[in-house]
Amino acid sequence: MASTTSVDNIDMGTTVWMIASTALVFMMIPGLGYFYSGMVRSKNALSLVFMCMLALAVVTLQWVIWGYSLALSETSTNPFIGNLSHWLFLDVNYKPHPNAPTVPGIVFAIYQCMFAALTPGLAIGGAAERIRVLPTIVYTFIWTTLVYDPIAYWVWAPNGWLCKMGVLDFAGGCAVEIASGFAALAFYFVLGERRGFGEEKWHPHNYLNIILGFAFLLFGWFGFNAGAASLVSGRAGIAFMTTILAGAVAGLVWLGLAFRVEHKFSSFHFCSGAVAGMVCVTPAASYVATWAAIPMGVISGVCCYYAIGLALRLGIDDCIDVFAVHGIGGLLGVFLTGVFADKNIIELDGIPSAGGLINGNGRQLYIQLAALSVCAAWSFTVSFIVLKIMNYIPLFRFRVHPDAEEHGLDFTELGEAGYNFMHEIAQMHSESQSPRLQARSFQESDSIKHPHKDMPLIKESVSSGLLTATPSVRAI
């Protein structure tokens, strides 16, 4: 009789579905970049898309070197972290992983790589409009190793301590949502707020980018939540339905709450709410009955909406709302999974389960609370320490110079522009004999040695008639 990880158990249909889901999750990465880029000012739009794609490159390398082995090693007996048995993808081949016994191990590893690559891109959003590229690259590699990999191991690896405790987290409430949300909060406490925060009201500069990014996120989320679910038992279909239903309900709830204040039906608010709903249902996607997505959508829509207002009143500059949507939404999702998890759904795959509170299993709530508390504390603490240490090293200091922040990261960090009119502004500045801004970021010592006397030129150009016909000028 074949073992549960025997190649004899591999099913081609399930394998093809996981490969397709890998591509779907990949689409979430540029989708996240576009979603973020629309929410910031136009002078920083390109940098957000680029950093999300950079995270994909950095994490893919890290995943092959040791990330997969640390996060999902099936041979490690350590309850806290995996071993290096699969470093450089050694022995990652046709033999299935215990978590996916019907697909080749290499397919499962690539699928999980997309989860790992998406997560730091979420966290980086907490430092939007004020972060340098070089330290972000280094930080992404370190953060994935010290934060994402351990949490993923605790929750998903066969010998992880939370997994053995019985935590229910189907698709990443802890390792993806909570980890990224609290890492974004750590960014705020280390970097501080953007220049001008609280003094003027900023708006998203491109609502079409927000909707486009949201569409990619929604499309990819089907693979994110349903990719590892069984096709035969129907749990993949359940994950599909709970994902779209929670997003729809939360989006409508958020839209209604915003309408009470603004008296407009905002596309931006709808997209934000829908993302919050899908975040909340992520850990529960294939554990709950379809109807449970409705209360989860309502609760996440209300709580995440007011979490943004609370953060603003506390003076927290989370310009892309990563903490409020992903951090708070992830906490709610992990907890509510303990409420709505249905043993009848889970047992469709022959997995014995006591379910959640609706099945009379109140103990599951304590397990879920322990998991969300530990994962949030670990992510925030380790992220904060790593950021602080790196910030003491001049080469890896995160925040750009105030002048670079004023003129935008697209120009000062990338030497490029996301829009033609921004390129014209950059060209005007290049001709004004200030070449140091053309290709690299400012350093604090540079401004002391070479003060920029002609910096106001760009500011004057931005406010001049050159851009008055551009819809995004109010947010530039």
Side-chain angles (χ1 to χ4, degrees):
M1 183 175 179
S3 68
T4 56
T5 57
S6 168
V7 295
D8 296 332
N9 294 327
I10 290 176
D11 177 75
M12 284 301 103
T14 305
T15 300
V16 170
W17 168 234
M18 185 166 284
I19 291 174
S21 295
T22 301
L24 288 174
V25 181
F26 164 80
M27 292 301 297
M28 296 180 73
I29 298 174
L32 180 69
Y34 272 93
F35 188 66
Y36 280 177
S37 74
M39 294 171 68
V40 298
R41 290 169 288 181
S42 55
K43 59 188 178 182
N44 300 301
L46 179 62
S47 68
L48 268 298
V49 181
F50 179 60
M51 285 189 184
C52 286
M53 299 309 294
L54 265 182
L56 171 63
V58 172
V59 175
T60 300
L61 176 62
Q62 188 270 355
W63 198 246
V64 170
I65 292 174
W66 58 39
Y68 173 69
S69 194
L70 293 175
L72 290 163
S73 172
E74 76 277 23
T75 59
S76 175
T77 58
N78 189 317
F80 301 106
I81 193 67
N83 56 28
L84 293 178
S85 61
H86 294 307
W87 81 291
L88 294 178
F89 265 36
L90 294 177
D91 295 324
V92 180
N93 44 44
Y94 203 59
K95 181 181 178 182
H97 188 279
N99 288 15
T102 59
V103 301
I106 186 68
V107 174
F108 176 71
I110 297 169
Y111 174 65
Q112 289 294 329
C113 178
M114 294 300 103
F115 282 66
L118 176 68
T119 308
L122 291 167
I124 290 167
E129 300 197 315
R130 55 199 188 278
I131 189 173
R132 295 173 56 222
V133 173
L134 176 60
T136 302
I137 292 173
V138 177
Y139 176 77
T140 297
F141 192 99
I142 296 172
W143 186 89
T144 305
T145 301
L146 298 182
V147 177
Y148 180 87
D149 292 346
I151 295 178
Y153 183 84
W154 300 346
V155 175
W156 290 327
N159 290 314
W161 70 277
L162 286 175
C163 181
K164 285 193 167 185
M165 186 184 291
V167 68
L168 296 175
D169 182 0
F170 188 75
C174 292
V176 178
E177 309 299 355
I178 292 174
S180 62
F182 280 83
L185 185 64
F187 262 120
Y188 164 74
F189 282 104
V190 174
L191 298 187
E193 61 194 31
R194 292 167 293 170
R195 295 186 71 209
F197 175 73
E199 299 174 5
E200 52 185 304
K201 186 176 181 180
W202 294 317
H203 299 276
H205 89 279
N206 191 321
Y207 293 89
L208 289 175
N209 271 11
I210 293 174
I211 296 174
L212 176 64
F214 166 71
F216 277 125
L217 286 171
L218 174 59
F219 182 61
W221 226 304
F222 291 129
F224 192 89
N225 281 357
S230 171
L231 296 173
V232 177
S233 68
R235 288 180 70 196
I238 293 171
F240 256 73
M241 195 62 236
T242 55
T243 299
I244 188 66
L245 182 58
V249 171
L252 292 172
V253 168
W254 195 304
L255 184 67
L257 291 171
F259 182 82
R260 290 177 61 250
V261 177
E262 301 177 5
H263 306 294
K264 301 290 183 181
F265 291 105
S266 166
S267 61
F268 169 50
H269 283 298
F270 172 77
C271 292
S272 295
V275 169
M278 291 186 290
V279 166
C280 183
V281 84
T282 289
S286 191
Y287 291 147
V288 299
T290 301
W291 65 265
I294 297 176
M296 293 184 78
V298 172
I299 294 169
S300 60
V302 172
C303 292
C304 293
Y305 175 84
Y306 285 109
I308 291 175
L310 178 61
L312 288 173
R313 282 193 290 273
L314 294 175
I316 297 175
D317 183 14
D318 182 11
C319 64
I320 303 180
D321 305 323
V322 182
F323 174 69
V325 173
H326 294 273
I328 301 301
L331 293 176
L332 289 170
V334 173
F335 178 77
L336 292 175
T337 300
V339 175
F340 295 114
D342 189 337
K343 67 178 182 180
N344 298 314
I345 301 295
I346 301 171
E347 290 177 350
L348 287 173
D349 284 335
I351 304 171
S353 173
L357 186 62
I358 64 168
N359 299 128
N361 181 24
R363 179 178 178 273
Q364 191 63 45
L365 288 179
Y366 295 106
I367 297 174
Q368 300 299 111
L369 282 170
L372 66 87
S373 300
V374 171
C375 293
W378 179 266
S379 178
F380 178 81
T381 303
V382 176
S383 301
F384 183 85
I385 292 172
V386 172
L387 287 168
K388 275 291 189 181
I389 292 174
M390 289 184 64
N391 226 24
Y392 281 118
I393 304 172
L395 181 64
F396 298 132
R397 190 170 297 143
F398 281 92
R399 184 149 190 164
V400 296
H401 187 276
D403 290 334
E405 188 176 339
E406 177 71 22
H407 297 98
L409 304 190
D410 290 356
F411 182 38
T412 59
E413 282 290 298
L414 309 184
E416 300 167 345
Y419 301 95
N420 285 336
F421 70 84
M422 294 301 297
H423 179 74
E424 293 173 6
I425 295 174
Q427 187 64 33
M428 290 171 56
H429 187 72
S430 296
E431 294 170 358
S432 69
Q433 299 180 349
S434 185
R436 206 167 48 76
L437 266 175
Q438 294 177 19
R440 64 187 180 90
S441 66
F442 289 83
Q443 300 295 324
E444 205 164 340
S445 58
D446 291 336
S447 65
I448 296 173
K449 296 177 182 178
H450 308 286
H452 285 265
K453 298 179 180 179
D454 47 332
M455 278 297 174
L457 287 175
I458 287 185
K459 190 172 182 180
E460 292 169 6
S461 301
V462 171
S463 59
S464 71
L466 175 67
L467 300 178
T468 52
T470 305
S472 59
V473 74
R474 63 177 178 153
I476 196 166

